[in-house]
Amino acid sequence: MRDYLPLDLSRFANAGARVLGKKDARIPTGKQAWHGIPFLVKPRAGKCVAAFGQGLRTQALEIPVGKEARHVLFAHRLLETKLPKGEPVGKLIAEYVIRFADGSEECLPIRERMEIGVIPSEWGQWCILAWPDRKDGLHARREGRFDATGFRQTEATQANARDFYLWAWGNPRPEQRIETLLVRPAGQRFYLGAVTLSNLEEFPFNRSAKRGVQI
């Protein structure tokens, strides 16, 4: 297996950009590279994501895998939220159940503002355990709007998600083949767009800053 292997989920797709409820809405399709990691959002008959919740798919979905992996990466998006109305953080949105070749399972809770989040997110409401599909950036140092002077002094811009939140799960049993991924929705509307397997020991998303190396 290559270092990263995107899965083809096209046969499970049941929704397209209309599920976002806006005329100009879009979902990027085809081969994607988020944070330098390959993902595949493959369309089929005008549909490109596996969507769950009211008016969509309400039953569990079983996705065959048949591969070993050290990490499993998910690109997903929550479609509705009640956090601004006072609902607590951490509501269960779904369970991703990893089934191994020996019959054992790992049940992964997918919780709002933890592993998945709504897009766009209000300021300060980004996910705690997931990464946005865009990277942090830098402000222009010598130009820009006067009313953004204070922001430029911070130098860095914090990225927010445009299309997906990315979450990586570290497999505690990488020697066991993963037979299937079972997506078990809990009621709130969300969709799964892509799944990528990693065979590297390193965590997929870099947590450390650049370091100088003398050769």
Side-chain angles (χ1 to χ4, degrees), residues 17-211:
R18 288 186 180 182
V19 76
L20 296 172
K22 297 180 180 179
K23 291 183 178 180
D24 59 346
R26 58 177 290 276
I27 297 176
T29 58
K31 295 179 179 179
Q32 306 293 325
W34 294 311
H35 294 266
I37 299 171
F39 290 86
L40 178 63
V41 184
K42 190 173 180 180
R44 180 172 178 263
K47 300 174 181 179
C48 57
V49 294
F52 301 84
Q54 185 177 4
L56 301 165
R57 180 184 279 115
T58 57
Q59 302 298 318
L61 172 66
E62 190 170 48
I63 300 171
V65 178
K67 302 284 185 180
E68 297 174 2
R70 293 185 178 274
H71 293 90
V72 183
L73 291 76
F74 304 91
H76 50 199
R77 175 177 181 169
L78 187 59
L79 293 171
E80 56 189 5
T81 181
K82 294 182 180 178
L83 289 181
K85 296 181 180 180
E87 192 167 78
V89 171
K91 180 181 179 180
L92 184 69
I93 304 301
E95 291 176 331
Y96 294 169
V97 182
I98 305 292
R99 291 178 173 169
F100 294 97
D102 65 356
S104 60
E105 296 182 348
E106 287 278 347
C107 184
L108 318 177
I110 306 301
R111 301 159 295 177
E112 182 169 8
R113 266 208 74 203
M114 297 294 181
E115 296 84 6
I116 195 171
V118 72
I119 301 173
S121 301
E122 296 184 11
W123 189 89
Q125 296 297 315
W126 297 298
C127 284
I128 298 172
L129 301 178
W131 273 252
D133 54 5
R134 291 190 289 184
K135 290 185 176 182
D136 297 337
L138 294 173
H139 285 290
R141 300 190 67 178
R142 296 179 174 84
E143 61 183 6
R145 289 171 43 173
F146 182 78
D147 62 358
T149 302
F151 288 105
R152 290 202 299 277
Q153 291 177 354
T154 66
E155 296 189 353
T157 61
Q158 185 174 0
N160 52 12
R162 180 176 56 193
D163 300 296
F164 290 98
Y165 272 108
L166 313 176
W167 179 63
W169 172 70
N171 184 3
R173 303 170 61 201
E175 73 286 350
Q176 272 288 335
R177 186 175 71 251
I178 299 173
E179 287 296 338
T180 61
L181 162 66
L182 181 69
V183 180
R184 196 154 54 201
Q188 203 156 323
R189 288 159 56 93
F190 76 99
Y191 62 66
L192 175 65
V195 176
T196 292
L197 307 180
S198 169
N199 205 31
L200 297 176
E201 292 188 23
E202 65 186 24
F203 188 73
F205 301 108
N206 184 25
R207 295 177 180 270
S208 58
K210 293 181 180 179
R211 293 181 296 174

